[in-house]
Amino acid sequence: MSDRIEILSTPLSVYDAEQFVVDLQAGGICVFSGNTRAETSSDGRELVALDYEAYADMALRQLNELAGRARERWPILKLAILHRTGRVAVGEPSVVIAVSCGHRAEAFEACRFLIDELKRDVAIWKKEVWKSGDATWVH
Amino acid sequence: MKVSIKLFAIVRDRAGVADLTLDLPAGATIAFAADLLAKKYPAIETFLPRCAFALNLEYTSISELLKDGDELAVIPPVSGG
């Protein structure tokens, strides 16, 4: 199996994603980790986490199709796209993408493409969770 | 005909329900179903124009015709990653 595409409710392992795409033909492996960034709102509230929800059936279908499009454009050996649902604390990854190619240029480009496209239209949503306990949907 | 509706994120919170079934007349479009949802759940009405719609797991236009057994999802602006 040359693609690992999953939506899971448990913490993501950047190491596992990277190990999945290691290939003897791969000179370049690119790994992207999208993490919850610390933030203070303009009215002084402190962000503690992002809470993610997915329309899993549709999102998985979209991610598989996205992987197919990336493979049409670049000579990808293996790829992994992992996205979490549930609470992702500041400093933790909500999404990990790993790509292996023969050479680094394609690996960088394909990895960038996958995260940019994922953010554009995959059926996943996040809510900002503040220290006070309020939560607000991002839209 | 019966169409199952899935609501997510802010729309689900405002409607207070995640899954429901609508009984629709033959020939109903997604636009018709959306109007019906806005009437049933007035709290989502102002947000619906910002939403996309997915029919059987694929984005589709609001003018698309529905059929018995379809799954229609209201997709608020996404924010994955």
Side-chain angles (χ1 to χ4, degrees), chain B residues 3-7 18-22 33 37 70-74:
Chain B
V3 173
S4 63
I5 308 291
K6 295 186 90 78
L7 304 180
D19 295 280
L20 61 139
T21 305
L22 285 183
L37 285 171
D70 275 347
E71 175 169 298
L72 177 65
V74 179

Side-chain angles (χ1 to χ4, degrees), chain A residues 95-116:
Chain A
V95 59
V96 176
I97 295 179
V99 177
S100 60
C101 294
H103 303 280
R104 72 185 184 285
E106 301 91 80
F108 273 119
E109 285 174 23
C111 192
R112 178 80 197 242
F113 173 79
L114 288 169
I115 184 61
D116 285 353

Side-chain angles (χ1 to χ4, degrees), chain B residues 32-52:
Chain B
F32 183 93
D35 278 349
L36 198 54
L37 285 171
K39 286 187 182 74
K40 267 173 94 77
Y41 307 105
I44 70 172
E45 187 174 9
T46 52
F47 205 83
L48 275 180
R50 301 181 58 178
C51 297

Side-chain angles (χ1 to χ4, degrees), chain A:
Chain A
M1 192 57 226
S2 49
D3 288 358
R4 181 179 165 194
I5 296 173
E6 292 175 30
I7 295 174
L8 45 168
S9 55
T10 49
L12 302 181
S13 166
V14 169
Y15 176 77
D16 284 354
E18 194 261 354
Q19 285 296 294
F20 179 83
V21 305
V22 164
D23 185 287
L24 298 184
Q25 309 302 319
I29 292 177
C30 198
V31 181
F32 172 79
S33 171
N35 292 10
T36 298
R37 182 171 47 85
E39 194 185 307
T40 306
S41 68
S42 51
D43 55 349
R45 286 175 300 152
E46 195 189 312
L47 188 80
V48 295
L50 293 171
D51 209 315
Y52 285 87
E53 173 180 327
Y55 181 12
D57 289 346
M58 182 173 172
L60 282 168
R61 185 180 170 138
Q62 288 177 295
L63 291 174
N64 275 281
E65 186 191 56
L66 180 56
R69 281 194 283 136
R71 285 183 172 284
E72 278 169 17
R73 288 177 69 162
W74 293 281
I76 294 169
L77 293 164
K78 295 196 170 89
L79 67 86
I81 303 173
L82 308 175
H83 201 299
R84 270 200 65 180
T85 55
R87 185 155 292 203
V88 183
V90 167
E92 296 292 310
S94 58
V95 59
V96 176
I97 295 179
V99 177
S100 60
C101 294
H103 303 280
R104 72 185 184 285
E106 301 91 80
F108 273 119
E109 285 174 23
C111 192
R112 178 80 197 242
F113 173 79
L114 288 169
I115 184 61
D116 285 353
E117 291 293 295
L118 183 157
K119 289 177 78 72
R120 215 167 53 81
D121 65 4
V122 174
I124 299 174
W125 301 270
K126 66 186 171 227
K127 200 156 61 171
E128 291 168 323
V129 182
W130 304 96
K131 196 165 182 178
S132 58
D134 321 322
T136 42
W137 289 102
V138 173
H139 53 74

Side-chain angles (χ1 to χ4, degrees), chain B residues 54-68:
Chain B
L55 184 60
N56 303 323
L57 311 182
E58 283 188 25
Y59 283 122
T60 192
S61 83
I62 206 161
S63 58
E64 194 75 12
L65 285 171
L66 293 164
K67 23 178 232 319
D68 188 56

